[in-house]
Amino acid sequence: MLIADDSALMRQTLKKIVASAADFDLIGVARDGEDAIAKARQLRPDVVSMDINMPKLDGITALQTILHEKICPVVMVSSLTQQGKATTFECLELGAFDFVAKPDGTVSSNMGAVAEELISKLRAAASSKNFFEHRAHTVQRRKPFQSASGAMFAKVTRPKAVAIGISTGGPGTLQEVLPLIPADVPASIFLVQHMPPAFIAAFAQRLDDHCALKVVEAQSGMSVTPSVCYVAPGGRHLCLHRKMTGEVVIRTPTTPLTLFMPSVGVMMASVLNIYGVDTIGVLMTGIGDDGADQMVAIRQAGGYTIAESEQTAVVYGMPREAYERGGASEVAPSYEVAGAIVKAVQRTMQ
């Protein structure tokens, strides 16, 4: 792999982290974007760890060149500043594999706190077999469904819930899904994206800017309504509660303790508990098996489940586990998931 960062401290820190992983071979370091491109072309690494803010040529420009030339996937190393967050999401939309946030800002001596996350994402990126095939699909996004007349959902009799779980590779993949869902879909959407807590608000706002649907960061006490996507808050679960009046509201507990917080599984179980047969589960790219058992439960309860196919999954972990456990009513590439969701709403709500 190749490390690109303009800070000598960061380069040394990242080198130590990479050296701790026996399956990684560090073949070079770069001091700026120009150096990163030159060494990527020369050394042909399996993955690049790329700082965003660098002199001569910034990380976002270097990223574009490396991806355009199909050299290898890139994992961005981002700062926690507001500008850093915005640029990070721009990189993800341009095709960066994923990102890791520096715990202490632009130069961090505390990278050990995210060392395991960084290694995990670098490993997943380096072993991603269909990364550039996936990127080819993302540049051919389809036009959003037109449903202003309401004819698309004319036979719908009651509101549904769509529970979406996604992790590594998720922000870019979601740009192929959520913007294609019509604004008047008679379903509430609940989304868990594994992401550092400090990025969630900016992530929800970014999605809202790109979607016909209203997208908000979920807050405890919010009333659940159709045609809104509720993004799980950072560091808390996304759960639902039905009041005596019948109103469904958001709850954001910090228990149970799970490997990921928020947890896809906890969210899906809570949604299923409230909506039952009217639940549509969707599990997409990500490492591990968060949500796989709950996809099985949704399907067994009479709901409908959609797992992303290996064809497009940046990391075929979570959706594969759902499929292998019998939790997928349907398997679809990412660019067909929005259509599958709409059909599931139409079919299961009649």
Side-chain angles (χ1 to χ4, degrees), residues 236-299:
R236 307 182 75 88
H237 291 303
L238 173 55
C239 296
L240 304 181
H241 170 72
R242 189 185 297 278
K243 292 184 174 181
M244 295 290 289
T245 60
E247 178 189 11
V248 178
V249 297
I250 301 288
R251 291 286 185 263
T252 57
T254 55
T255 56
L257 294 177
T258 54
L259 177 61
F260 294 104
M261 186 82 79
S263 160
V264 176
V266 170
M267 178 273 289
M268 285 186 167
S270 181
V271 172
L272 177 60
N273 183 56
I274 296 294
Y275 287 88
V277 69
D278 292 319
T279 304
I280 299 165
V282 182
L283 204 56
M284 302 185 73
T285 177
I287 299 169
D289 65 353
D290 190 14
D293 286 339
Q294 288 70 32
M295 289 277 282
V296 175
I298 291 169
R299 193 177 184 194

Side-chain angles (χ1 to χ4, degrees), residues 205-239:
Q205 182 60 58
R206 190 99 181 176
L207 286 175
D208 188 56
D209 291 342
H210 287 77
C211 295
L213 285 168
K214 179 66 178 173
V215 181
V216 299
E217 180 181 11
Q219 297 180 10
S220 188
M222 273 184 173
S223 181
V224 171
T225 60
S227 307
V228 177
C229 176
Y230 300 90
V231 180
R236 307 182 75 88
H237 291 303
L238 173 55
C239 296

Side-chain angles (χ1 to χ4, degrees), residues 34-327:
E34 287 185 358
D35 195 20
I37 291 172
K39 287 181 176 171
R41 286 169 172 165
Q42 174 191 356
L43 301 172
R44 313 300 294 188
D46 293 319
V47 62
V48 175
S49 166
M50 180 82 73
D51 185 25
I52 291 180
N53 300 308
M54 294 187 291
K56 293 188 179 179
L57 199 67
D58 62 19
I60 192 169
T61 308
L63 163 75
Q64 289 175 285
T65 300
I66 290 171
L67 294 184
H68 177 72
E69 297 181 12
K70 297 184 178 181
I71 297 174
C72 66
V74 178
V75 174
M76 308 305 295
V77 181
S78 167
S79 71
L80 287 171
T81 64
Q82 237 5 83
Q83 181 57 44
K85 294 173 189 176
T87 308
T88 298
F89 291 121
E90 186 177 352
C91 289
L92 293 171
E93 289 164 11
L94 287 169
F97 182 85
D98 211 313
F99 77 99
V100 174
K102 298 177 183 178
D104 301 326
T106 55
V107 177
S108 179
S109 59
N110 192 32
M111 285 296 290
V114 296
E116 186 176 343
E117 177 190 359
L118 177 61
I119 289 296
S120 175
K121 290 181 177 179
L122 288 171
R123 184 177 290 123
S127 60
S128 179
K129 297 177 182 179
N130 60 348
F131 177 73
F132 287 105
E133 288 180 26
H134 179 267
R135 286 200 71 241
H137 288 301
T138 65
V139 297
Q140 298 174 358
R141 293 174 186 153
R142 301 181 179 183
K143 293 181 180 180
F145 295 99
Q146 299 298 318
S147 184
S149 66
M152 180 180 288
F153 303 109
K155 296 182 180 180
V156 170
T157 59
R158 60 184 186 264
K160 295 285 292 188
V162 180
I164 302 175
I166 196 163
S167 187
T168 305
T173 299
L174 285 170
Q175 291 293 334
E176 297 179 72
V177 179
L178 291 181
L180 302 187
I181 296 177
D184 60 348
V185 64
S188 300
I189 298 176
F190 304 96
L191 170 64
V192 168
Q193 162 72 69
H194 294 155
M195 182 178 290
F199 283 78
I200 292 293
F203 173 61
Q205 182 60 58
R206 190 99 181 176
L207 286 175
D208 188 56
D209 291 342
H210 287 77
C211 295
L213 285 168
K214 179 66 178 173
V215 181
V216 299
E217 180 181 11
Q219 297 180 10
S220 188
M222 273 184 173
S223 181
V224 171
T225 60
S227 307
V228 177
C229 176
Y230 300 90
V231 180
R236 307 182 75 88
H237 291 303
L238 173 55
C239 296
L240 304 181
H241 170 72
R242 189 185 297 278
K243 292 184 174 181
M244 295 290 289
T245 60
E247 178 189 11
V248 178
V249 297
I250 301 288
R251 291 286 185 263
T252 57
T254 55
T255 56
L257 294 177
T258 54
L259 177 61
F260 294 104
M261 186 82 79
S263 160
V264 176
V266 170
M267 178 273 289
M268 285 186 167
S270 181
V271 172
L272 177 60
N273 183 56
I274 296 294
Y275 287 88
V277 69
D278 292 319
T279 304
I280 299 165
V282 182
L283 204 56
M284 302 185 73
T285 177
I287 299 169
D289 65 353
D290 190 14
D293 286 339
Q294 288 70 32
M295 289 277 282
V296 175
I298 291 169
R299 193 177 184 194
Q300 290 177 343
Y304 196 81
T305 53
I306 303 160
E308 183 180 3
S309 68
E310 185 175 9
Q311 175 189 348
T312 60
V314 178
V315 180
Y316 191 52
M318 286 160 48
R320 178 185 61 202
E321 290 295 331
Y323 170 74
E324 292 182 349
R325 297 177 195 187

